């Protein structure tokens, strides 16, 4: 008998319709009752909160990660977290950055509410419980399980607003497939060393600045003026900007504000290729290229690195931007 602990935080999986719209009001014990307990498992439950993930702050996220650590007590074989889908890709990534335990932690949720005529939450939760109990998920870090697939934390993205297949890992693919009671291993995540992050308090402010046709440096300078300790550029293509932004990046970096470069394109890495305001100029200005991380995950990586090493966060960042192995790219195991 394997023991799994279920932490509920709210989200669509816990939502019911009311006069003002959907509200996350369903408790963990009721979520488990709807999903059923898979054979061979004993599941305990607790509630961290009942909110939509769009309402979470980074301080809330740190408290959730601390709760996950506490839930991995003696005799517990894994933890499942139910969570809203809007920011799940961020929460699962930060949880993975600090996860230093071989036991699995699995996030899941739903696209349709608890009181829907055809809710998807019960099946997602049942699958996540199976993944959390499986030896195949051990030492894989924190995973996101949805619609019959489990994804590594790094690289997972919400790709559909309403459809049940809400998540994908562009350029990477899933690491496990869940078919009924059976799990199939597809790949093995490659993870950096866990960060010794203090989970009390909050993270330094890091802003994401989007690039668009004709963008000037106003938003970038506004982020710095508002107190951002670091900035992530959601750049064009393979990591390009406008000449005005490239020049401003040099000033920010010279002033001690690190800048990471990501792409607004869903799949593929960034690289310093072009001049005239492009990635080559950003690299010369001191920006760091964040591989194929999304801007949202890169933001949390930079914020965590700043918290761990405020004077020189870039070695910590680059240590988590190592080249991917073939298995991490989704090659059949």
């Amino acid at each position: 008998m394997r023991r799994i602990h279920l932490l509920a935080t709210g989200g669509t999986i816990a939502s019911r319709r009311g006069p003002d719209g959907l509200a996350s009001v369903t408790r963990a014990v009721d979520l488990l009752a709807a999903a059923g307990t898979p054979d061979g498992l004993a599941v305990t439950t607790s509630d961290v909160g009942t909110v939509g993930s769009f309402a979470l702050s980074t301080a809330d996220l740190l408290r959730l990660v601390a709760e996950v650590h506490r839930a991995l007590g003696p005799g517990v074989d894994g933890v499942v977290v139910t969570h809203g889908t809007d920011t799940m890709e961020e929460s699962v990534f930060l949880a993975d950055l600090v996860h230093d335990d071989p036991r699995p932690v699995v996030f899941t949720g739903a696209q349709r509410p608890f009181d829907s005529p055809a809710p998807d939450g019960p099946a997602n939760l049942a699958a996540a419980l199976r993944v959390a109990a499986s030896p195949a998920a051990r030492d894989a870090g924190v995973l996101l399980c949805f619609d019959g697939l489990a994804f590594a934390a790094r690289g997972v993205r919400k790709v559909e607003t309403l459809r049940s297949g809400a998540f994908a890992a562009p350029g990477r693919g899933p690491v496990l497939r869940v078919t009924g009671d059976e799990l199939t291993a597809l790949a093995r995540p490659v993870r950096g060393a866990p960060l010794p992050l203090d989970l009390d308090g909050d993270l330094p402010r890091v802003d994401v600045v989007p690039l668009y046709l004709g963008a000037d440096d106003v938003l970038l300078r506004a982020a710095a003026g508002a107190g951002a300790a670091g900035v992530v550029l959601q750049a064009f293509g393979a990591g390009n900007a406008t000449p005005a932004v490239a020049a401003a990046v040099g000033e920010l970096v010279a002033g001690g504000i690190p800048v990471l470069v990501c792409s607004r394109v869903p799949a593929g890495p960034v690289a310093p290729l072009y001049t005239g305001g492009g990635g080559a100029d950003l690299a010369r200005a001191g920006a760091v290229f964040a591989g194929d991380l999304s801007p949202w995950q890169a933001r949390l990586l930079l914020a965590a690195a700043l918290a761990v090493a405020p004077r020189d966060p870039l070695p910590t960042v680059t240590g988590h931007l190592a080249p991917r192995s073939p298995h991490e790219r989704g090659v059949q195991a």
Side-chain angles (χ1 to χ4, degrees):
M1 182 71 70
R2 300 185 70 79
R3 182 183 169 197
I4 306 299
H5 188 76
L6 170 62
L7 286 173
T9 71
T12 299
I13 191 171
S15 293
R16 300 173 189 258
R17 297 186 185 278
D20 297 322
L22 293 171
S24 302
V25 296
T26 308
R27 299 288 180 173
V29 64
D30 296 315
L31 297 178
L32 180 62
T37 301
D39 292 342
L41 300 188
V43 182
T44 54
T45 66
S46 61
D47 294 281
V48 179
T50 51
V51 297
S53 67
F54 48 80
L56 294 174
S57 67
T58 51
D60 294 330
L61 177 51
L62 290 172
R63 285 191 289 272
L64 171 58
V65 175
E67 286 295 331
V68 169
H69 286 192
R70 281 190 282 271
L72 284 168
V76 174
D77 296 297
V79 170
V80 170
V81 181
T82 56
H83 192 287
T85 59
D86 281 356
T87 63
M88 195 189 301
E89 66 197 75
E90 294 163 79
S91 295
V92 71
F93 181 70
L94 185 67
D96 188 63
L97 283 177
V98 302
H99 189 56
D100 60 355
D101 193 298
R103 291 172 291 180
V105 173
V106 184
F107 279 64
T108 194
Q111 289 284 76
R112 297 187 293 275
F114 184 82
D115 59 356
S116 166
D120 57 327
N124 284 341
L125 178 52
L129 292 168
R130 291 185 179 95
V131 170
S134 173
R138 193 171 177 86
D139 288 309
V142 183
L143 303 174
L144 190 157
C145 184
F146 219 90
D147 200 36
L149 297 171
F151 299 92
R154 176 173 170 157
V156 68
R157 296 190 183 196
K158 187 172 182 181
V159 295
E160 291 280 350
T161 57
L162 297 173
R163 190 172 62 86
S164 60
F167 290 92
R172 293 170 178 264
V175 297
L176 291 167
R177 177 179 290 116
V178 185
T179 308
D181 294 334
E182 300 295 324
L183 269 68
T184 303
L186 303 175
R188 195 71 183 169
V190 175
R191 304 170 60 233
L195 297 183
L197 185 63
D198 184 356
L199 299 178
D200 293 325
D202 205 348
L203 293 174
R205 176 172 180 156
V206 173
D207 288 332
V208 177
V209 175
L211 272 291
Y212 47 87
L213 183 69
D216 59 21
D217 59 353
V218 170
L219 293 180
L220 186 61
R221 295 186 186 280
V231 174
V232 175
L233 287 183
Q234 187 182 23
F236 303 113
N240 301 308
T242 62
V245 167
V249 165
E251 293 179 30
L252 263 64
V253 173
I257 300 177
V259 176
L260 296 190
V261 180
C262 299
S263 180
R264 66 182 199 174
V265 180
V270 287
L273 302 175
Y274 295 89
T275 188
D281 293 343
L282 292 174
R284 278 189 289 271
V288 173
F289 283 67
D292 66 345
L293 273 185
S294 72
W296 329 118
Q297 292 193 341
R299 170 186 169 267
L300 287 171
L301 173 57
L302 180 53
L306 283 162
V308 171
R311 292 186 179 180
D312 191 8
L314 293 184
T316 302
V317 169
T318 54
H320 282 263
L321 298 176
R324 294 173 293 156
S325 74
H327 285 304
E328 196 185 7
R329 291 196 296 268
V331 175
Q332 183 74 26

